[in-house]
Amino acid sequence: MSRRRTLGTKKKIALLVSAAAVAGGGAFVMASTSNAAQTPKSAAESTVCQGLATALGNNQKFIADQRANPDAQSEARIANREAVVAEIERKQEASGCVAGESAQDSQATEPEQPAQPAPAETPGGGAAASGQQVCNGSTVTLSGEGGAPAASSNQFPAGTKLKVTNLDNDKSTTVEVTSVSGSCVLLNNAAFEQVREPGKFLIRRAVIEKVG
């Protein structure tokens, strides 16, 4: 009887060890699956990630341009944009994107657009008349800056009014250029919210008009 009881106890221990091993293996598989599901997405895999990467690239380009050609205001501009870059990287991480991935040229992957008529010159030599479509073929994203609705541009001076229309939802906003950027037009957070589609940080089909 004593031998049978001893063997029974050993069998029970062996069964418990086996069960623990199986449970441990299952936990490992579940952890591996969980980690795989959380792999950050690249800009090529997600339109949200592409929009954030474009916004990051535009701000990084602006910072690089300011450092290459500094003026009296460059230091303040750079400090402001570095804070914007940090916020965009935070949004990338929160959205499941590769944090720090950037797209320097927002027009690089866009299909070639049909040729547009040349802007009519005004008597004073101005390039674009009021209501003239500009920035043909450009995508539009956000600068990451706060405040009232506004835009920044590397082609139009402060005070210029631009109308931006998102052709994918027919929403538009008219904003004033208030600062310089590394793109034809970037909308700040408030302006971008007026025309964006839910969950997207990039407007692929946009019409941009100079209206003032």
Side-chain angles (χ1 to χ4, degrees):
M1 292 292 290
S2 175
R3 179 176 177 79
R4 288 180 180 178
R5 287 177 181 174
T6 302
L7 289 174
T9 302
K10 288 182 179 179
K11 287 182 179 179
K12 288 179 180 179
I13 293 173
L15 289 171
L16 288 171
V17 170
S18 299
V22 171
F28 175 78
V29 171
M30 289 177 66
S32 299
T33 303
S34 177
N35 289 336
Q38 295 176 3
T39 302
K41 295 181 180 179
S42 68
E45 299 174 302
S46 165
T47 54
V48 170
C49 297
Q50 184 178 18
L52 290 170
T54 301
L56 182 61
N58 287 333
N59 281 283
Q60 290 174 333
K61 182 177 185 299
F62 174 78
I63 291 172
D65 290 343
Q66 288 292 306
R67 286 176 174 159
N69 303 286
D71 59 30
Q73 301 298 320
S74 290
E75 186 175 344
R77 293 191 192 110
I78 290 172
N80 177 62
R81 290 309 174 93
E82 285 177 338
V84 170
V85 165
E87 175 63 16
I88 293 173
E89 290 177 341
R90 186 194 66 75
K91 288 182 178 179
Q92 286 179 315
E93 188 172 355
S95 301
C97 306
V98 178
E101 182 182 18
S102 68
Q104 283 285 333
D105 185 0
S106 63
Q107 300 183 47
T109 59
E110 292 302 302
E112 185 176 350
Q113 300 293 317
Q116 298 289 333
E121 293 191 3
T122 62
S130 180
Q132 172 69 43
Q133 187 173 333
V134 296
C135 307
N136 296 318
S138 290
T139 56
V140 176
T141 188
L142 74 168
S143 66
E145 295 179 299
S152 55
S153 175
N154 64 358
Q155 295 190 26
F156 301 101
T160 304
K161 289 187 178 180
L162 300 173
K163 179 181 179 182
V164 178
T165 302
N166 183 348
L167 296 179
D168 289 327
N169 59 12
D170 293 325
K171 291 184 178 180
S172 63
T173 183
T174 299
V175 291
E176 184 175 318
V177 174
T178 58
S179 61
V180 181
S181 71
S183 183
C184 180
V185 58
L186 291 180
L187 298 177
N188 72 353
N189 293 346
F192 194 78
E193 285 296 328
Q194 294 178 343
V195 294
R196 71 179 293 186
E197 292 183 272
K200 293 188 178 181
F201 293 92
L202 179 70
I203 300 174
R204 291 180 174 277
R205 300 197 312 131
V207 172
I208 305 165
E209 299 170 88
K210 180 178 179 292
V211 296

